[in-house]
Amino acid sequence: MAEQKNISWKIYWTDYTTGSYLYGSEITFHDKNHVEFENRLMPPGTVINSWYSRTNFQSQKIEPSLPIIDGEIRYKICANIDTENASEILIRLVYFDRYGEEIGNDVITGLMGEFQCPLRTYSYELQLISGGVTRMDFHSIIIQEVPDEDNSK
C-alpha cells in the first residue's frame, strides 16, 4: 500500500507591487506573512493582487510565485486572510496555453475551494479580487493537491 503525500505550496504577497492595485490603497508590509491592505474607494470586481506561474523577468522584473500544476490533479486552495466578511473575497485562477491565450478560469467565492486546470494549461495566474472588501490582513494562500481516492487503495 503506497502512502500518498499531500503536497502543498504557500504563496505570500511580497513587497513587489507589480501585481498590486495601488490607486488609493494603503498597503503595509509588516512581515513575510502579514500584509495589511485597505482601500475604502475600490469598486467591487477590482483585482487586489496577482501572482503568476510564468513571467518574463527581462520585462517584468519579477520571478514566478506560483507552483507548476498538473491538469490531471485536483487542488484545494485556502486563503489565510483576516477580514470581516470572507464572502467579499474572490479568488480567480486564469489558465493560459503555450501561446498566452486564455483557455479557461475558475472563480472561488470566499477563502476556500477546489479547482482543476485544463489539460492544455501551460501557465496560470492567481488573482485576489475584491467582492466588496475594503480592509484585510493577508497572511498567505496555500495550494494543496487533493489526494486521489483511487490511487490510495
Side-chain angles (χ1 to χ4, degrees):
M1 181 179 202
E3 186 177 320
Q4 196 160 22
K5 297 177 184 175
N6 285 344
I7 298 172
S8 66
W9 300 271
K10 194 175 272 194
I11 294 109
Y12 297 103
W13 185 344
T14 62
D15 60 349
Y16 198 82
T17 56
T18 295
S20 301
Y21 185 79
L22 301 177
Y23 305 104
S25 299
E26 291 183 33
I27 305 172
T28 307
F29 293 89
H30 296 287
D31 196 358
K32 172 182 170 180
N33 62 355
H34 183 199
V35 177
E36 192 176 336
F37 177 89
E38 185 170 353
N39 189 329
R40 302 224 177 262
L41 303 174
M42 180 176 53
T46 302
V47 176
I48 297 170
N49 196 44
S50 298
W51 293 265
Y52 308 92
S53 69
R54 188 161 196 258
T55 62
N56 182 337
F57 187 80
Q58 294 288 47
S59 65
Q60 295 174 308
K61 304 293 187 241
I62 57 172
E63 295 180 3
S65 52
L66 296 176
I68 296 171
I69 57 176
D70 183 346
E72 296 181 356
I73 298 174
R74 287 199 58 76
Y75 296 90
K76 179 170 65 171
I77 192 164
C78 178
N80 185 4
I81 297 172
D82 298 327
T83 185
E84 286 185 18
N85 191 350
S87 66
E88 292 180 340
I89 292 179
L90 305 170
I91 298 170
R92 182 174 186 235
L93 296 129
V94 185
Y95 311 109
F96 302 96
D97 66 13
R98 63 182 298 185
Y99 303 107
E101 298 294 322
E102 183 177 333
I103 57 172
N105 67 73
D106 286 312
V107 177
I108 296 165
T109 302
L111 303 178
M112 291 183 93
E114 289 190 9
F115 69 95
Q116 185 168 1
C117 67
L119 288 174
R120 301 178 328 175
T121 300
Y122 185 73
S123 66
Y124 68 107
E125 179 180 345
L126 189 154
Q127 301 172 337
L128 185 63
I129 300 174
S130 168
V133 68
T134 57
R135 191 194 174 298
M136 68 177 171
D137 286 301
F138 179 94
H139 301 289
S140 65
I141 293 177
I142 296 171
I143 297 176
Q144 182 175 17
E145 289 184 3
V146 174
D148 185 3
E149 309 288 322
D150 300 329
N151 291 338
S152 61
K153 290 181 182 176

